[in-house]
């Protein structure tokens, strides 16, 4: 099982989804994790309270980049409310709490909770997502 999860993380790291696809998005935020050298810029475009477009740029360790790819994939097309809820579920999972729903590829990150120094890497894109959605909603949601 651990091996399978490893595969999923490496796959997202090598072939990130939604990378470099959103340089012109209305809302752009930046987050970094100097401890590890992770760096993420996230672009989001909201439409009627839904994430119409999302993409990231950045560099860093496999965990942070794979988490960004999985995050973008899992929240694209979702409502802002649902995306924030997923972010909260991920935060709790990274603190050792088993999620009460099947999160698909995101489950691959569950093992990261065992490595506190890596938790920040995994949560970096989610922090960026929450920041972008908060900014987007403050902008009226459809900017
Ligand atoms: Zn990292």
């Amino acid at each position: 099982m651990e091996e399978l999860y490893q595969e999923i993380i490496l796959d997202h790291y090598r072939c990130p989804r939604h990378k470099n696809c959103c340089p012109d998005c209305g809302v752009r935020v930046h987050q970094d994790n100097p401890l590890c050298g992770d760096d993420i810029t996230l672009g989001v475009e909201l439409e009627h309270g839904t994430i119409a477009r999302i993409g990231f740029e950045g560099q860093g360790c496999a965990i942070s980049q794979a988490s960004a790819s999985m995050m973008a994939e899992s929240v694209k097309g979702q409502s802002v409310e649902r995306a924030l809820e997923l972010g909260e579920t991920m935060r709790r999972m990274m603190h050792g709490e088993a999620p009460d729903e099947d999160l698909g590829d995101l489950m691959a990150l569950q093992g990261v909770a065992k490595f506190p120094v890596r938790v920040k890497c995994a949560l970096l894109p989610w922090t960026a997502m929450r920041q972008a959605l908060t900014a987007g909603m403050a902008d009226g949601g459809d900017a």
Side-chain angles (χ1 to χ4, degrees), residues 13-123:
Y13 177 54
R14 290 188 188 121
C15 312
R17 280 59 141 185
H18 307 283
K19 192 168 182 186
N20 301 324
C21 66
C22 236
D24 57 336
C25 273
V27 180
R28 288 174 62 80
V29 300
H30 176 253
Q31 285 284 337
D32 63 7
N33 174 19
L35 277 177
C36 182
D38 306 321
D39 183 290
I40 285 190
T41 300
L42 188 68
V44 171
E45 199 83 47
L46 299 179
E47 248 175 60
H48 312 296
T50 297
I51 301 171
R53 293 173 66 206
I54 183 164
F56 73 100
E57 291 128 57
Q59 58 205 357
C61 67
I63 299 290
S64 68
Q65 300 302 300
S67 182
S69 170
M70 292 183 207
M71 181 277 289
E73 196 168 63
S74 59
V75 304
K76 183 165 191 245
Q78 304 283 353
S79 68
V80 167
E81 199 179 26
R82 170 67 182 147
L84 291 174
E85 185 186 286
L86 257 181
E88 183 55 24
T89 302
M90 281 303 292
R91 197 187 59 78
R92 287 204 302 263
M93 185 165 92
M94 287 303 109
H95 290 93
E97 209 176 296
D100 49 16
E101 57 180 315
D102 184 358
L103 300 174
D105 279 7
L106 292 172
M107 299 302 282
L109 292 167
Q110 199 170 5
V112 174
K114 281 182 274 178
F115 306 95
V117 74
R118 290 299 198 180
V119 165
K120 183 124 200 247
C121 303
L123 288 180

